[in-house]
Amino acid sequence: MADLGKEVKLVGSTNSLFTCRPRVALNLKGVDYDFLQEKWWQKSDLLLESNPVYKKMPILIHNNKPVWESMIIVEYIDETWTSKGPSIIPLDPYDRAMARFWTAYSDDKFPSLLRVLMGPIPGDIPEAREQFVASLQLLEAALKKCSKGKIFFGGDDIGYLDIALGSHFGWIEATERLAGIRLLEKETVPRLVEWSEHYFAHPAVKDIMPTTDELVAFVTEVKSTLSAPAK
C-alpha cells in the first residue's frame, strides 16, 4: 500500500489566511508536509504550472497531483487521511450541509466587507461595518445550533466550518486596528468571542496564524503598492 504521507507539499503564503485552512487541516490530521512559500507579487513557475486555471494559492500537491481551492483541499485531506486525527467534515448529512452553507455564506460576505473596512477598495465604511456585524450575529446563532452546546462549530474539536471561519476571523483584529472600529464584541456576540479565543489557541492553529502586527504590515504594504505611480 502506498504511503499517503509521502510527497505532500503545500504552496502558499504565511500571510494568506486561505492558505491557513489546509495548514490547520494537515496539522489536525498529523500529516507531515513541505510548505513552499510564495511571494504575493511574484508567482513562481511551480504555482503557475500547478494551478493553470486560476493561477493562485493555496495548492496541495500530493504525490505530484495538485488539488486547488482551500476548502476543497480541506475536504481532500479529511477524505485521504481518514485514519489520522479527528474527522473534519461532519458525518451527519444535515450537519454537513449546514457547515457547507455557512462556509459559502462567509466566503461570499466577509472578504469584500473586510477590504472596504481596511481601505484597499472604496466603499461606505459605516454601512460595511453594519453588514459585517449583522453577519456575525447570524453566525452567533449558527454556532449555538451547530455546536450543540460545545465550544466549536465541529463540537469537541475543530471541524470544517471552524477552519473556514477562522481564516476570516484572523483578519478581524487587524481590520479593527486599521479602521479604528470595533467588530467582534462580547456584548453582541459572546459565543463567537469565546469560540475565537479557543480556536486561535488550538495547537493545530496557534503556530501558523500570522499575528495582527504582521497582517497590518502586509495591508500597509499592499496599499502602498496599489497607490504607487506606474513606472
Side-chain angles (χ1 to χ4, degrees), residues 88-189:
I88 295 172
I89 304 169
L91 300 177
D92 179 81
Y94 181 79
D95 292 344
R96 188 161 59 246
M98 289 300 97
R100 286 174 171 154
F101 169 81
W102 287 112
T103 293
Y105 175 84
S106 64
D107 283 355
D108 177 60
K109 289 284 185 181
F110 287 162
S112 59
L113 290 174
L114 286 171
R115 289 189 189 104
V116 170
L117 292 168
M118 286 186 289
I121 62 174
D124 186 324
I125 289 180
E127 181 181 348
R129 181 191 179 278
E130 183 179 341
Q131 290 182 31
F132 193 92
V133 171
S135 296
L136 290 178
Q137 290 171 334
L138 289 174
L139 286 166
E140 173 84 357
L143 174 58
K144 182 178 180 180
K145 186 174 183 179
C146 294
S147 68
K148 299 177 174 64
K150 297 179 181 178
I151 291 295
F152 298 108
F153 284 92
D156 291 319
D157 209 339
I158 287 175
Y160 184 87
L161 183 52
D162 297 284
I163 293 173
L165 287 179
S167 66
H168 298 303
F169 273 62
W171 281 106
I172 288 181
E173 190 172 339
T175 303
E176 290 176 331
R177 187 187 299 181
L178 287 161
I181 57 176
R182 294 292 296 163
L183 296 170
L184 189 65
E185 298 184 287
K186 188 171 288 188
E187 293 76 17
T188 53
V189 286

Side-chain angles (χ1 to χ4, degrees), residues 143 169 172 184 191-201:
L143 174 58
F169 273 62
I172 288 181
L184 189 65
R191 286 178 179 271
L192 277 180
V193 170
E194 183 181 13
W195 167 84
S196 178
E197 291 169 351
H198 281 87
Y199 179 79
F200 289 108

Side-chain angles (χ1 to χ4, degrees), residues 17-28:
L17 291 175
F18 285 106
T19 298
C20 288
R21 289 173 165 182
R23 293 188 75 190
V24 170
L26 288 164
N27 284 351
L28 277 173

